[in-house]
């Protein structure tokens, strides 16, 4: 039997041999909103009945105790031990002395059964410091028998700074009864502001209709406080969750050129973000002033912010990225358009010094600090000795980039058609490939030109060497496509007005071979007509001549830039980060911390609001990294909005539904899915994860909701889902299931958990391993095709291309400046954070306190470990050519955490984090 004391163990693994949890993570974390807490029984003789503290004389689970009558204590003494920490910046000798000597911490316990029954706040006095640098406070006072069971505790901070409350251990003694211990896991910051009133509730989850009478008003009060009133600028210590449009991406007061349209509303539909209430811009009242570039002024509800440990690691990696970009950019000498002089110069980015640098994805911040201290000491010595040139050279060596996995495995992978096709199924963006025939545009022909395609039946049959007719290829589901035609075509002319870039719309056709691999057979690039020019379009095929081969390589470069930009803006940012934030806001506003669905979802929302706020300040903002280095430049977020408007639907975000919509799977009569490409690693592994999540969620939902009517009558649940639709995603009216039965609730929750975990892991952690070598995944294309335009010679090609095709390719790639912006960021985004919580290994305390839920999670853990082993076997199977073979990078992006992270050779196989935290 798992004892409650085991919930405090630091290990994160469940026993496969016994099928039950042996321990689980209790990594310190901040609870969301009103401090989403848990309460765990830790004493061997403790008893918790309905989540309430009572006296007991033998160890039993809370479920066993439900069948017994609660013992009534005539009168008893309550003692409490509180673990408190200060922020590192506040841990000065003066602050520490104040913490020790002043009376500032008060506790107030509330009755579970008697409304309004509680004591006046009782003082907790300093006792000692533990071995981890935390302050231990103790309080002891008498409790009348009329208080009966404890339903909540309030913490009052009258200190001059905010403090972090880790745990409150409550000890009860009454007459001849045995001691009973219970722990409130608070994990929350509490400010000294009088309006920051904090209530923590016991472990047991309650549907609204089951809430004990004594805490019903507290449950309501907490939710009301967390919603705020929609007015004023938010303060750092507040826990207000509210909605706003994306109107803070530009800074028109300081630079009119950075004015950007508001995203959210009928004109440009978009999900909503967290409201910050910063002042409006003077020159554009529709825009909100941005946060400072150093991150000051960023608001997220206090317990949504990074832990100090994670914040420190993030800051270290961000500084490392900035230094890498700075030192590499010195060679550009201010010319942001300068291309790389050769392919060898690109390879030189990844050599020398980096081999001696620790991997930032696996080292803790303190190790990095020591490393850089040594580096900086060396550099300072060189400067003092007057060796400035040697200083510059040494610094360049230090900040070389790690060789990305794709380039380490195969130096020519970026050039191979087979790898180009394989990555549509097993790369960093396996969510765009689709079965789509016939080819025809849905755009207005009067505006953009003919909607048909130049990829004809005859061309297809020529490229597949006559092994079948085009009709047979369609019938046998052999033709697949990357279709960036209708999405990109409306933006082509606007992007071409920007400096040093260009854009086409594209269609890329693939043929499924007998070996189960894809082969690219045609690329169509299109420029729409304009008032002064007709439509231009051309189809490129794998060449039979030197010129045709180079044109094919250039056409692939344009397609890869489209796919990389779409990946970053849609597959990654829009479909995970952006669309999940409204779920987080609505859950905190409408679901009590006691609600079982809140406790199910909470680990999947960890840090998402913070990382999104950081992204608005440095990645997706005007002139930020995305606009500066990705197609389609300053119009990136407008493209994201257009895709959200035309293509995004909640009911299509479920993995099976997404595969079916793209024609990559069909649903059989028995409800099982059959993939149209058998060896499709993202779908193969993803469906295993999806099914495992769904079974866990189904077990959980069925435990708390006995009848469908319980779901329909749950006011908090229905309020949450209604707010997700009407306030979080108010621009989308279709695609929202009704929460009216177990099936629909399970599908909704599974979809949200999948998007926040599996989907995000699949599109995030492969960014540097695949796109870190940018010829493999260029983020932007800067030159038109040599066959377009008036400068072509009699043979239809520009003279520069005929004379030096390598130079044209290098000029089409991102510039040196753009590369120095992108590579450090991709490295940062692909890293795992210290203290990451992984799917199937991290268990919430509330789950472990309930016998049935604990057993369900144990089964979930067993399935995830089995999936990890299955994925290892698949990656060794020579028949699966999309994940195994010479120079092939194994597909491990959806491999659950299994084994010691120190033994893992790739950042891609470290596990599936529960939430979008990077």
């Amino acid at each position: 039997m798992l004892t409650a004391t085991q919930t405090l163990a630091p290990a994160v693994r469940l026993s496969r041999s016994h099928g039950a949890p042996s321990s689980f993570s209790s990594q310190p974390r901040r609870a969301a909103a009103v401090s989403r807490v848990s309460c765990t029984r830790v004493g061997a003789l403790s008893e918790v009945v309905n989540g309430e503290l009572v006296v007991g004389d033998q160890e039993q689970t809370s479920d066993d105790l439900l069948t017994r009558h609660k013992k009534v204590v005539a009168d008893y003494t309550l003692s409490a031990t509180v673990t408190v920490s200060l922020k590192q910046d506040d841990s000065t000798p003066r602050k520490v002395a104040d913490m020790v000597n002043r009376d500032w911490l008060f506790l107030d316990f509330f009755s579970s059964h008697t409304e309004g029954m509680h004591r006046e706040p009782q003082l907790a006095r300093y006792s000692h410091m533990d071995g981890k640098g935390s302050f231990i406070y103790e309080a002891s006072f008498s409790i009348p028998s009329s208080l009966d069971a404890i339903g909540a505790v309030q913490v009052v901070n009258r200190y001059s700074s905010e403090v972090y409350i880790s745990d409150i251990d409550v000890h009860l003694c009454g007459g001849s009864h045995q001691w009973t211990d219970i722990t409130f896991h608070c994990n929350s910051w509490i400010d000294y502001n009088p309006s920051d009133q904090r209530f923590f509730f016991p472990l047991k989850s309650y549907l609204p209709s089951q809430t004990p009478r004594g805490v019903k008003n507290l449950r309501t009060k907490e939710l009301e406080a967390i919603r705020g009133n929609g007015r004023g600028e938010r303060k750092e210590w507040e826990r207000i969750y509210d909605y706003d449009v994306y109107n803070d991406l530009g800074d028109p007061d300081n630079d009119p050129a950075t004015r950007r349209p508001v995203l959210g509303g009928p004109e440009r539909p978009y999900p909503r973000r967290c409201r910050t209430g910063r002042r409006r811009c003077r020159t554009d009242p529709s825009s909100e002033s941005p946060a400072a570039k150093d991150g000051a002024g960023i608001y997220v509800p206090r317990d949504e912010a990074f832990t100090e440990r994670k914040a420190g690691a993030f800051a270290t990696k961000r500084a490392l990225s900035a230094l890498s970009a700075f030192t590499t950019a010195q060679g550009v000498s201010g010319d942001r358009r300068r291309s790389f002089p050769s392919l060898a110069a690109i390879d030189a980015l990844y050599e020398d010094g980096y081999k001696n640098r620790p991997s930032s994805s696996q080292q803790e911040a303190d190790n990095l600090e020591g490393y850089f201290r040594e580096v900086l000491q060396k550099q300072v010595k060189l400067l003092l000795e007057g060796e400035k040139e040697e200083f510059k050279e040494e610094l360049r060596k230090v900040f070389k980039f790690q060789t990305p996995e794709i380039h380490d495995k195969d130096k020519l992978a970026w050039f191979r058609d087979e790898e180009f096709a394989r990555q549509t199924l097993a790369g960093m963006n396996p969510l765009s490939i689709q079965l789509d025939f016939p080819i025809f545009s849905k755009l207005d022909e009067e505006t953009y030109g003919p909607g048909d395609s130049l990829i004809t039946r005859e061309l297809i049959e020529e490229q597949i060497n006559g092994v079948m007719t085009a009709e047979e290829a369609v019938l046998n589901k052999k033709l697949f496509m990357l279709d960036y035609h209708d999405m990109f075509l409306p933006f082509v002319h606007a992007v071409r007005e920007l400096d040093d870039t260009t854009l086409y719309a594209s269609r890329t056709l693939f043929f499924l071979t007998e070996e189960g691999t894809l082969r690219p057979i045609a690329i169509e690039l299109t420029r729409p007509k304009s008032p002064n020019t007709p439509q231009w379009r051309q189809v490129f095929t794998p060449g039979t001549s030197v010129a045709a081969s180079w044109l094919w390589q250039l056409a692939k470069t344009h397609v890869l830039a489209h796919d990389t930009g779409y990946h970053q803006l849609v597959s990654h940012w829009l479909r995970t980060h952006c669309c999940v934030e409204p779920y987080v806001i609505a859950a905190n506003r409408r679901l009590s911390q006691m609600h079982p669905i809140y406790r199910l979802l909470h680990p999947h929302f960890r840090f998402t609001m913070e990382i999104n706020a950081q992204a608005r300040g440095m990645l997706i903002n005007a002139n930020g990294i995305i606009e500066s280095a990705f197609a389609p430049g300053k119009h990136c977020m407008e493209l994201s909005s257009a895709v959200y408007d035309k293509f995004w639907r909640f009911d299509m975000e479920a993995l099976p539904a997404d595969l079916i919509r793209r024609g990559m799977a069909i649903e059989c009569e028995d409800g099982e899915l059959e993939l149209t490409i058998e060896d499709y690693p993202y779908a193969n592994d993803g469906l295993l994860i999806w099914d495992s999540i769904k079974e866990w969620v189904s077990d959980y939902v069925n435990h708390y909701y006995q009848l469908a009517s319980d779901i329909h009558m749950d006011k908090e649940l229905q309020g949450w889902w209604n707010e997700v639709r009407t306030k979080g995603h108010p621009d989308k009216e279709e695609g929202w299931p009704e929460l009216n039965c177990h099936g629909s609730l399970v599908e909704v929750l599974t979809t949200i958990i999948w998007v926040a975990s599996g989907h995000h892991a699949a599109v995030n952690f492969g960014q540097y391993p695949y796109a870190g070598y940018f010829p493999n995944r260029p983020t932007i294309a800067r030159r038109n095709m040599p066959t377009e335009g008036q400068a072509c010679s009699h043979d239809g090609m520009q003279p520069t291309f005929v004379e030096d095709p390598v130079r044209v390719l290098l000029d089409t790639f991102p510039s040196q400046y753009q590369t120095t912006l992108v590579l450090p960021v991709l490295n940062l985004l692909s890293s795992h954070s210290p203290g990451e919580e992984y799917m199937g290994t991290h268990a919430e305390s509330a789950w472990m306190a309930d016998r049935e839920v604990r057993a369900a999670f144990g089964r979930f853990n067993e399935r995830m470990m089995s999936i990890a082993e299955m994925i290892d076997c698949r990656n060794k199977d020579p028949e699966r050519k999309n994940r195994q073979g010479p120079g092939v990078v194994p597909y491990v992006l959806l491999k659950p955490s299994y084994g010691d992270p120190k033994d893992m050779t790739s950042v891609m196989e470290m596990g599936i984090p529960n939430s979008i935290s990077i």
Side-chain angles (χ1 to χ4, degrees):
M1 176 184 294
L2 177 73
T3 65
T5 53
Q6 288 176 293
T7 64
L8 301 179
V12 198
R13 195 58 62 188
L14 302 185
S15 168
R16 288 179 53 78
S17 60
H18 297 90
S22 62
S23 60
F24 69 92
S25 170
S26 60
Q27 189 67 41
R29 64 180 176 81
R30 296 174 190 161
V34 291
S35 186
R36 293 357 200 182
V37 306
S38 57
C39 167
T40 304
R41 182 169 55 86
V42 299
L45 300 177
S46 13
E47 293 185 358
V48 179
V49 179
N50 289 329
E52 302 153 0
L53 178 61
V54 297
V55 174
D57 52 12
Q58 58 181 334
E59 180 182 6
Q60 299 186 49
T61 67
S62 58
D63 300 87
D64 295 331
L65 293 168
L66 292 177
T67 62
R68 297 180 51 197
H69 294 293
K70 178 171 60 67
K71 297 181 180 180
V72 179
V73 182
D75 71 286
Y76 45 88
T77 299
L78 191 83
S79 63
T81 302
V82 187
T83 304
V84 182
S85 302
L86 281 173
K87 289 191 297 186
Q88 291 180 0
D89 292 344
D90 286 342
S91 299
T92 63
R94 180 177 178 181
K95 289 279 189 179
V96 171
D98 282 348
M99 286 277 289
V100 170
N101 297 320
R102 290 179 53 188
D103 295 338
W104 60 272
L105 180 63
F106 296 84
L107 305 178
D108 189 5
F109 290 91
F110 289 75
S111 168
S112 178
H113 294 299
T114 307
E115 184 177 349
M117 176 64 70
H118 65 99
R119 301 275 293 182
E120 288 300 315
Q122 302 294 311
L123 175 66
R125 297 183 183 277
Y126 172 77
S127 172
H128 62 280
M129 294 191 71
D130 66 9
K132 300 179 180 179
S134 296
F135 301 84
I136 306 301
Y137 286 77
E138 294 181 349
S140 180
F141 44 92
S142 298
I143 296 293
S145 59
S146 57
L147 183 62
D148 99 24
I150 294 176
V153 58
Q154 180 184 14
V155 180
V156 179
N157 173 15
R158 294 177 183 169
Y159 184 53
S160 58
S161 299
E162 69 172 357
V163 296
Y164 187 73
I165 306 295
S166 301
D167 300 317
I168 301 176
D169 296 315
V170 179
H171 313 275
L172 177 68
C173 183
S176 61
H177 292 288
Q178 297 285 348
W179 281 90
T180 300
D181 299 347
I182 192 166
T183 298
F184 288 80
H185 294 300
C186 303
N187 298 324
S188 183
W189 291 95
I190 301 180
D191 197 71
Y192 62 92
N193 192 298
S195 63
D196 191 21
Q197 297 185 20
R198 309 306 309 286
F199 297 95
F200 301 98
F201 298 94
L203 183 63
K204 184 173 175 61
S205 298
Y206 294 99
L207 299 178
S209 61
Q210 302 167 343
T211 309
R213 184 179 60 181
V215 294
K216 277 188 176 181
N217 286 340
L218 292 183
R219 181 170 185 155
T220 302
K221 182 178 180 180
E222 282 287 283
L223 288 175
E224 290 174 348
I226 219 166
R227 295 171 195 152
N229 57 17
R231 298 191 298 271
E233 182 174 355
R234 299 274 66 87
K235 305 298 188 297
E236 180 186 3
W237 56 267
E238 291 182 320
R239 291 169 180 78
I240 305 300
Y241 293 76
D242 205 352
Y243 304 93
D244 208 344
V245 294
Y246 278 73
N247 63 350
D248 64 341
L249 302 181
D251 190 9
D253 284 351
N254 292 319
D255 183 359
T258 65
R259 179 177 179 176
R260 295 293 182 267
V262 174
L263 303 183
E267 187 175 352
R268 292 181 179 85
Y270 217 59
R272 299 305 191 256
R273 64 172 175 91
C274 180
R275 180 185 179 276
T276 64
R278 292 190 297 267
R279 67 169 181 82
R280 294 302 177 103
C281 296
R282 296 185 302 276
T283 58
D284 179 17
S286 66
S287 296
E288 181 179 274
S289 58
K293 292 184 178 180
D294 62 359
I298 287 179
Y299 168 77
V300 294
R302 185 64 181 94
D303 287 328
E304 300 292 342
F306 291 159
T307 63
E308 288 191 293
R309 184 185 183 199
K310 180 176 175 65
F314 184 81
T316 299
K317 293 171 186 174
R318 185 173 175 177
L320 174 60
S321 298
L323 284 169
S324 298
F326 173 77
T327 54
T328 308
Q330 297 308 298
V332 179
S333 300
D335 182 5
R336 296 190 175 191
R337 303 178 61 170
R338 180 178 296 183
S339 303
F340 282 90
S342 64
L343 292 172
I346 295 174
D347 288 345
L349 287 172
Y350 307 98
E351 297 173 357
D352 301 325
Y354 198 101
K355 295 177 182 179
N356 298 319
R357 193 173 100 193
S359 172
S360 62
S361 65
Q362 299 180 17
Q363 296 290 340
E364 302 292 348
D366 52 354
N367 293 334
L368 283 171
E369 182 182 353
Y371 172 76
F372 286 114
R373 187 184 301 114
E374 293 180 12
V375 168
L376 291 174
Q377 287 173 349
K378 181 179 180 181
Q379 308 313 315
V380 169
K381 181 179 179 182
L382 288 172
L383 277 179
L384 292 175
E385 294 173 354
E387 304 291 339
K388 292 185 179 180
E389 290 304 315
E390 185 179 351
F391 165 77
K392 291 180 180 179
E393 181 59 28
E394 286 297 315
L395 204 58
R396 289 191 191 102
K397 288 182 179 180
V398 169
F399 293 111
K400 294 283 185 176
F401 296 103
Q402 184 182 29
T403 302
E405 205 163 330
I406 185 66
H407 196 55
D408 191 45
K409 282 275 189 180
D410 182 358
K411 292 295 187 289
L412 296 177
W414 69 277
F415 203 81
R416 302 185 194 280
D417 286 355
E418 298 86 354
E419 182 63 20
F420 168 54
R422 189 193 73 85
Q423 288 183 32
T424 66
L425 302 172
M428 74 176 194
N429 185 34
L431 284 80
S432 289
I433 190 73
Q434 59 184 315
L435 183 73
D436 192 6
F437 220 83
I439 309 170
F440 199 84
S441 172
K442 298 178 182 178
L443 297 175
D444 178 34
E445 293 192 3
E446 289 295 321
T447 303
Y448 299 104
D452 63 342
S453 174
L454 296 182
I455 302 177
T456 63
R457 166 186 173 181
E458 292 75 18
L459 185 147
I460 293 171
E461 292 176 354
E462 177 184 347
Q463 288 299 312
I464 63 177
N465 300 319
V467 297
M468 62 182 68
T469 66
E471 289 81 3
E472 289 172 334
V474 172
L475 183 64
N476 292 317
K477 299 181 178 178
K478 295 289 187 178
L479 297 177
F480 295 83
M481 180 178 292
L482 286 180
D483 188 356
Y484 295 123
H485 184 276
D486 286 11
M487 300 173 198
F488 281 80
L489 200 63
F491 294 91
V492 168
H493 289 312
V495 171
R496 287 184 170 218
E497 293 178 0
L498 305 177
D499 181 54
D500 197 34
T501 190
T502 190
L503 187 66
Y504 294 99
S506 67
R507 297 178 175 119
T508 306
L509 195 64
F510 300 84
F511 178 72
L512 182 63
T513 70
E514 290 300 315
E515 291 185 320
T517 61
L518 291 177
R519 180 166 65 86
I521 61 175
I523 294 173
E524 181 179 32
L525 299 179
T526 303
R527 181 197 68 201
K529 72 176 187 177
S530 71
N532 301 318
T533 59
Q535 182 192 62
W536 178 91
R537 52 183 178 162
Q538 186 174 348
V539 174
F540 303 88
T541 58
T544 56
S545 67
V546 173
S549 296
W550 275 111
L551 288 172
W552 171 250
Q553 190 63 37
L554 288 169
K556 281 201 302 181
T557 300
H558 282 275
V559 170
L560 286 166
H562 300 165
D563 192 56
T564 303
Y566 187 86
H567 158 267
Q568 196 64 262
L569 293 166
V570 178
S571 300
H572 183 205
W573 165 256
L574 174 67
R575 293 180 62 182
T576 64
H577 288 260
C578 188
C579 285
V580 166
E581 184 159 342
Y583 311 149
V584 183
I585 298 172
N588 283 281
R589 285 167 56 90
R590 294 294 172 181
L591 296 177
S592 165
Q593 64 181 269
M594 291 188 283
H595 200 291
I597 299 305
Y598 181 87
R599 284 175 164 161
L600 174 68
L601 291 176
H602 180 250
H604 303 288
F605 294 159
R606 186 175 184 244
F607 301 142
T608 299
M609 294 180 72
E610 168 79 8
I611 197 64
N612 285 2
Q614 296 280 355
R616 296 202 308 274
M618 62 177 281
L619 290 179
I620 64 171
N621 58 311
N623 292 339
I625 293 170
I626 301 297
E627 283 195 4
S628 299
F630 284 77
K634 66 178 289 186
H635 303 286
C636 280
M637 296 306 289
E638 292 179 77
L639 171 66
S640 177
S641 170
V643 174
Y644 177 74
D645 180 29
K646 294 179 172 59
F647 295 97
W648 188 89
R649 287 173 53 119
F650 178 85
D651 57 355
M652 294 291 104
E653 292 303 287
L655 177 60
D658 176 60
L659 294 171
I660 292 170
R661 173 177 59 176
R662 292 189 282 120
M664 302 304 293
I666 59 173
E667 187 172 6
C668 303
E669 292 183 0
D670 60 0
E672 296 294 319
L673 287 189
E674 179 182 322
L675 296 178
T676 51
I677 298 179
E678 185 177 350
D679 183 17
Y680 182 4
Y682 165 73
N684 297 140
D685 298 355
L687 287 171
L688 293 177
I689 301 297
W690 169 272
D691 289 341
S692 184
I693 295 171
K694 189 170 184 178
E695 187 172 341
W696 153 240
V697 171
S698 181
D699 288 343
Y700 190 93
V701 167
N702 289 331
H703 176 65
Y704 286 103
Y705 294 96
Q706 302 301 313
L707 303 171
S709 59
D710 295 336
I711 297 172
H712 180 71
M713 298 300 292
D714 186 337
K715 293 182 179 180
E716 286 185 10
L717 180 71
Q718 297 296 334
W720 163 68
W721 189 233
N722 180 67
E723 190 162 291
V724 165
R725 294 176 293 172
T726 61
K727 292 189 176 182
H729 290 269
D731 303 326
K732 303 293 291 187
E733 296 182 357
E734 298 180 348
W736 302 103
E738 293 293 328
L739 295 188
N740 53 13
C741 64
H742 291 82
S744 63
L745 179 56
V746 168
E747 188 75 7
V748 163
L749 297 175
T750 303
T751 299
I752 292 174
I753 293 172
W754 159 256
V755 169
S757 56
H759 179 151
H760 181 258
V763 299
N764 185 73
F765 295 106
Q767 291 184 86
Y768 190 80
Y770 280 103
Y773 188 73
F774 70 88
N776 183 62
R777 302 287 303 185
T779 59
I780 198 167
R782 298 185 296 136
R783 298 291 181 268
N784 293 338
M785 290 294 293
T787 53
E788 181 197 349
Q790 303 300 318
C792 296
S793 61
H794 68 278
D795 58 0
M797 292 179 286
Q798 295 172 357
T800 305
F801 172 68
V802 176
E803 295 168 5
D804 192 350
V806 175
R807 167 51 47 204
V808 174
L809 178 62
L810 290 168
D811 288 344
T812 303
F813 281 156
S815 69
Q816 293 188 47
Y817 172 76
Q818 290 168 327
T819 302
T820 63
L821 287 179
V822 170
L823 295 191
V825 171
L826 295 182
N827 192 30
L828 170 66
L829 297 180
S830 300
S831 62
H832 290 250
S833 301
E836 193 71 80
E837 295 176 355
Y838 292 98
M839 174 164 285
T841 63
H842 169 81
E844 294 287 288
S845 300
W847 305 345
M848 294 296 98
D850 186 291
R851 182 174 55 190
E852 290 188 26
V853 175
R854 182 171 70 245
F857 184 81
R859 295 191 295 272
F860 180 44
N861 172 268
E862 288 279 338
R863 291 192 301 272
M864 297 299 278
M865 286 194 290
S866 296
I867 290 171
E869 294 174 347
M870 191 179 303
I871 289 173
D872 283 341
C873 291
R874 287 175 171 177
N875 285 325
K876 297 175 183 177
D877 184 354
E879 298 300 316
R880 296 179 180 268
K881 300 185 183 300
N882 290 320
R883 63 196 308 159
Q884 205 278 338
V888 174
V889 177
Y891 191 76
V892 290
L893 284 164
L894 289 171
K895 178 183 174 181
S897 179
Y898 184 60
D900 190 339
K902 295 179 181 178
D903 298 332
M904 297 174 185
T905 60
S906 170
V907 70
M908 294 189 287
E909 65 172 333
M910 292 183 68
I912 305 172
N914 271 330
S915 64
I916 303 166
S917 61
I918 187 65

